[in-house]
Amino acid sequence: MTTKQAFLQQKLSSTPALVGTLSLFFALIPISLAPSLTKLCQLEIGANAVVFHRSWIATVVFALWNGLEAFRYQQSDNQTIEHKPLTKKEIWLLLAMGTAAATYLLLWAWSLSQTNVANVALLSNLNSLFVALAGYLLFGQRFDYRFVVGLSIALGGAIAFEINKVQFATDQLLGDVLAFLTAIFMATCMLLIEQLRSRFSTATIMLWRCGITTMFLLPVVPFLEDRLLPYSWMGWFFIIFQALFCQVLGQGLLAYSLSRISSRVVAVTLLAEPVLASIFAWFIFSEQVGLFDWVTFAVVLVGIYLAQSSRSVVKVIDEKS
């Protein structure tokens, strides 16, 4: 009987992690496609304007989503869930999360104008290190050997993928620093979302994130970009598609996965993003992807597998939609 109970408990505890892992891998597709879609949009408007339009369109979607959830709750006969008012700490965490998201998007777009894409991809993807380091120093998280090996292999593969394209030069120093800061703010945003998922649903967190990003960018975008609106229907199509597919679906699934698996495992899995982005660019823009790129992609996948199969993936947290 004891053995059967232990088996059932292990199976139940692994189910949320499996759901979180599947949602994370589905999220990788729209997230990895975002750079190529941004490049298409930049034929008409700049990267900061693209980010702004993505944010306000996603804000509208998540506002409608939250309104629908509130309406369904009001019409429901079973209103057993207690709706607690926001505390000052929760408000500050939501504001900090939205500010971190807006900051890393601005830094990312700025860094692209100051250094090459390979440098940005390499330095900004160091966020997995910052997530693991912050978890260890600030939250007392401990990692098993399998996770550490997986992180090392995945990070090594990601660095090897970009290193042959990286060009360090004195005139690109500002862009490299900006890309490095992008990784810090990305890690901060991810850790804050993980903390908030025990209290709020995905729709609520994404509403705050996208809403704050929109308000953050609204006064500064006119000074950063010469043109704010696309001039063709095709330009609007790519912006709206990017907002719905990459921001709402991709980032929404990413936020959802943080309620099921730990942020450090999510960060390691996201190391596959630059490689997948290059593969999408290969299909869309015929950019070259060689044998070495495919080998490093396989190395990254091995590292992700080790991290995903470690005990560090499991996360016990209150259930939120």
Side-chain angles (χ1 to χ4, degrees), residues 118 121-123 125-126 128-129 151-166 168 271 274-275 292 296 299-300:
L122 174 65
L123 295 170
N125 272 282
L126 294 177
S128 58
L129 280 179
L151 170 62
S152 302
I153 292 176
L155 187 60
I159 292 174
F161 175 79
E162 296 291 349
I163 202 69
N164 61 329
K165 307 171 188 176
V166 169
F168 291 107
L271 287 171
V275 190
F292 181 77
T296 54
V299 172
V300 171

Side-chain angles (χ1 to χ4, degrees), residues 108-151:
W108 176 78
W110 189 8
S111 65
L112 284 173
S113 67
Q114 300 296 320
T115 187
N116 60 64
V117 176
N119 288 33
V120 175
L122 174 65
L123 295 170
S124 64
N125 272 282
L126 294 177
N127 67 83
S128 58
L129 280 179
F130 294 123
V131 169
L133 187 62
Y136 178 79
L137 296 177
L138 300 179
F139 304 111
Q141 297 174 349
R142 296 295 179 265
F143 316 125
D144 61 351
Y145 178 76
R146 193 179 185 90
F147 172 79
V148 174
V149 172
L151 170 62

Side-chain angles (χ1 to χ4, degrees), residues 220-284:
V220 299
V221 168
F223 298 99
L224 299 175
E225 301 291 351
D226 296 328
R227 185 177 183 86
L228 301 179
L229 301 176
Y231 52 79
S232 70
W233 68 268
M234 185 62 70
W236 276 113
F237 169 79
F238 282 122
I239 286 176
I240 295 172
F241 180 75
Q242 188 175 172
L244 298 178
F245 188 63
C246 302
Q247 190 72 21
V248 175
L249 180 62
Q251 296 295 332
L253 285 173
L254 177 62
Y256 176 78
S257 69
L258 285 166
S259 68
R260 306 301 182 112
I261 54 181
S262 64
S263 58
R264 53 191 181 273
V265 176
V266 172
V268 173
T269 306
L270 288 177
L271 287 171
E273 184 269 330
V275 190
L276 287 173
S278 294
I279 294 174
F280 283 127
W282 175 45
F283 281 111
I284 298 173

Side-chain angles (χ1 to χ4, degrees), residues 34 36-47 49-54 56-57 227-244:
S36 294
L37 292 176
T38 301
K39 189 173 180 180
L40 289 173
C41 293
Q42 284 182 295
L43 296 173
E44 299 188 16
I45 58 176
V50 174
V51 171
F52 171 72
H53 288 301
R54 272 181 53 174
W56 77 257
I57 294 173
R227 185 177 183 86
L228 301 179
L229 301 176
Y231 52 79
S232 70
W233 68 268
M234 185 62 70
W236 276 113
F237 169 79
F238 282 122
I239 286 176
I240 295 172
F241 180 75
Q242 188 175 172
L244 298 178

Side-chain angles (χ1 to χ4, degrees), residues 191-222:
L191 288 166
L192 288 170
I193 291 177
E194 183 180 31
Q195 297 297 311
L196 290 164
R197 285 300 282 120
S198 61
R199 170 71 165 87
F200 301 102
S201 67
T202 300
T204 300
I205 289 176
M206 291 303 298
L207 175 61
W208 278 79
R209 173 180 173 172
C210 298
I212 293 173
T213 301
T214 301
M215 292 186 291
F216 199 91
L217 293 174
L218 182 60
V220 299
V221 168

Side-chain angles (χ1 to χ4, degrees), residues 10-20 260:
Q10 182 181 6
K11 190 171 182 179
L12 288 172
S13 64
S14 63
T15 301
L18 177 60
V19 174
R260 306 301 182 112

